[in-house]
Amino acid sequence: IFTILEANSPKMQPGVKKLIQKVSSATISVYNSVLSKFLPTNAHPHYTYCLRDLWKVLKGLLFAFYNQESTIDSNYLTRLWFHECLRVFGDRLAISEHRSWLTDLLIEQCKESLSYESSSLNEKIMFVEMTPGTYEEVVNFEKLTAIASNHLSEYNSHTSKPMDIHLFRDAVCQNSRMLRMIKQPQGNALLLGMGGSGRSSLTRLAASIAEFELIEISASKSYDTGDWVDDMKRIIRMAGIQRKPVLFLFRDSQILRETFLE
């Protein structure tokens, strides 16, 4: 982690590179704590963590390094690390007590390992790409909501199936999290929620903002494994050979056979 971060941090201010080693150690410490605290259960089978989660935190930091045009200081790096850990380790936590425990753990790590204290560190912290060439912390939520609303209006003006949705705060935050996930290499997510909660609509909006082509299968009674294989081949050719940015949206109602998940 340290070697990769150091090799990809040319925009950091003098002295900030010394913080990278501490960030690497803090990430491993958080990972070990989360791994021992949250185990998969019947109620929370998705509480599964592995070494790939360390790489996901690293990818989030590198994404910021590549997209941030201004010089990176210690304050930015610390708050960015706090945010990326929340996204990777915290977004799958379904209970408020679990999220609070993780937030307290990250605050403690910032204080003890990174020598940073601030009352503004909480689970609501959010970094987004508000404009090209930036990956900044949201300090004006009204501005972020206005940007998302403009993208929604643009989407509705270019589609035959416009979406009549209200972008309240949680919806905007969820859309921002999905947009972050989509723009990262091999980004993927399992979206849990009740039917009609906006999972599909926000996915479409995020794909439109990221300029990804969204693809779904046309599942019908006659749709079989052969059709599934053909669709997968088509998507892989688009993403791998034609190098097109593709987002595959797969609903639980489209799992007609268990082999689709293999």
Side-chain angles (χ1 to χ4, degrees):
I1 296 176
F2 170 73
T3 303
I4 297 176
L5 286 178
E6 186 179 42
N8 292 274
S9 56
K11 300 175 183 177
M12 288 190 174
Q13 292 181 356
V16 178
K17 285 190 176 181
K18 298 178 181 179
L19 191 62
I20 294 180
Q21 179 64 63
K22 297 180 180 180
V23 166
S24 303
S25 300
T27 306
I28 296 174
S29 177
V30 170
Y31 167 75
N32 289 330
S33 298
V34 170
L35 195 63
S36 60
K37 174 69 175 180
F38 301 120
L39 302 175
T41 63
N42 291 334
H44 307 110
H46 58 288
Y47 278 18
T48 55
Y49 296 92
C50 63
L51 290 174
R52 283 193 298 269
D53 294 310
L54 290 175
W55 172 239
K56 290 178 182 179
V57 175
L58 179 60
K59 283 198 300 183
L61 296 175
L62 293 178
F63 178 80
F65 293 171
Y66 293 141
N67 286 273
Q68 184 70 4
E69 293 181 344
S70 59
T71 304
I72 296 173
D73 57 22
S74 59
N75 179 72
Y76 176 90
L77 178 59
T78 303
R79 298 181 70 84
L80 171 66
W81 174 82
F82 186 93
H83 168 262
E84 295 305 317
C85 287
L86 278 179
R87 300 284 72 79
V88 173
F89 300 117
D91 279 350
R92 74 186 68 179
L93 300 179
I95 301 178
S96 59
E97 289 80 2
H98 293 173
R99 293 192 295 269
S100 296
W101 181 90
L102 176 63
T103 302
D104 293 339
L105 173 66
L106 294 175
I107 292 175
E108 181 181 357
Q109 283 292 330
C110 286
K111 179 181 178 180
E112 296 184 357
S113 301
L114 307 181
S115 302
Y116 181 87
E117 289 187 73
S118 175
S119 58
S120 61
L121 284 178
N122 54 63
E123 63 181 54
K124 294 183 179 180
I125 190 172
M126 179 76 68
F127 277 76
V128 299
E129 185 183 12
M130 299 186 72
T131 57
T134 66
Y135 191 63
E136 55 189 300
E137 183 178 353
V138 177
V139 294
N140 186 340
F141 197 83
E142 288 72 19
K143 179 180 179 181
L144 179 61
T145 303
I147 293 175
S149 298
N150 290 337
H151 282 297
L152 176 61
S153 298
E154 183 177 356
Y155 173 87
N156 287 337
S157 64
H158 292 88
T159 182
S160 59
K161 297 180 179 180
M163 298 185 297
D164 184 17
I165 59 176
H166 174 63
L167 293 176
F168 53 94
R169 185 184 184 93
D170 286 347
V172 174
C173 290
Q174 177 71 355
N175 181 253
S176 299
R177 288 191 287 265
M178 293 171 62
L179 186 59
R180 167 191 170 276
M181 175 273 300
I182 291 172
K183 288 203 167 188
Q184 291 188 1
Q186 302 174 341
N188 61 88
L190 173 66
L191 304 180
L192 303 177
M194 300 293 293
S197 59
R199 291 170 296 169
S200 175
S201 298
L202 292 178
T203 300
R204 294 178 184 279
L205 178 58
S208 175
I209 297 174
E211 298 182 349
F212 274 54
E213 182 173 350
L214 188 141
I215 298 178
E216 287 189 90
I217 63 173
S218 300
S220 61
K221 292 183 179 179
S222 60
Y223 191 90
D224 57 18
T225 304
D227 297 321
W228 170 258
V229 172
D230 290 339
D231 282 333
M232 291 301 101
K233 288 180 179 179
R234 176 171 59 91
I235 295 172
I236 292 173
R237 289 193 186 102
M238 292 177 63
I241 299 177
Q242 302 174 19
R243 308 297 294 177
K244 290 184 177 179
V246 176
L247 174 62
F248 177 50
L249 176 60
F250 189 41
R251 307 166 185 262
D252 55 350
S253 60
Q254 296 171 333
I255 307 176
L256 305 181
R257 292 172 173 81
E258 290 185 4
T259 54
F260 290 3
L261 300 177
E262 296 180 354

